[in-house]
Amino acid sequence: MTRQEKSMISGYRILWTDNALLELKKTVTYLEQNWTERELKKLATQLEKTLQLISQNPYLFQTSDVKKEVRRAVVLTVNSIYYRVLENDVEILSFFSNRQSPDKRKLK
């Protein structure tokens, strides 16, 4: 599995799976077409804050209802990040739009 990496200042390293990056890209494309620039900036800012929190304390957020080893962080009520904690890394499994059916989540 190929992973994209984003370093966080003095915390757990954040790794994005290909699936999570694809979901993020699809979400941004949809939002660019349907949201204002101000709303997009707000989402980007909140996403960065959430990733920083996860990097500093990956056990801060609740475990998911799907898998016990997977955690869920809500970003502005419209999106959730699903991730798991590895040894010194956090692997982002999904950037999920909460408006979708939960059956569409891919948490492999």
Side-chain angles (χ1 to χ4, degrees), residues 25-85:
K25 182 179 179 180
K26 286 180 180 179
T27 299
V28 168
T29 300
Y30 171 82
L31 298 178
E32 285 173 339
Q33 295 169 358
N34 296 288
W35 283 19
T36 66
E37 185 68 28
R38 181 176 175 209
E39 291 168 318
L40 280 168
K41 286 181 182 179
K42 185 176 178 181
L43 176 63
T45 299
Q46 190 60 40
L47 177 58
E48 283 297 319
K49 286 179 183 178
T50 303
L51 290 173
Q52 185 65 38
L53 285 171
I54 291 170
S55 175
Q56 296 300 314
N57 184 359
Y59 298 100
L60 178 66
F61 295 99
Q62 68 184 10
T63 56
S64 77
D65 58 344
V66 179
K67 293 184 178 182
K68 212 170 199 177
E69 70 276 5
V70 174
R71 295 185 171 271
R72 175 179 178 239
V74 176
V75 181
L76 289 181
T77 70
V78 294
N79 293 292
S80 293
I81 295 174
Y82 288 88
Y83 66 95
R84 68 177 158 209
V85 181

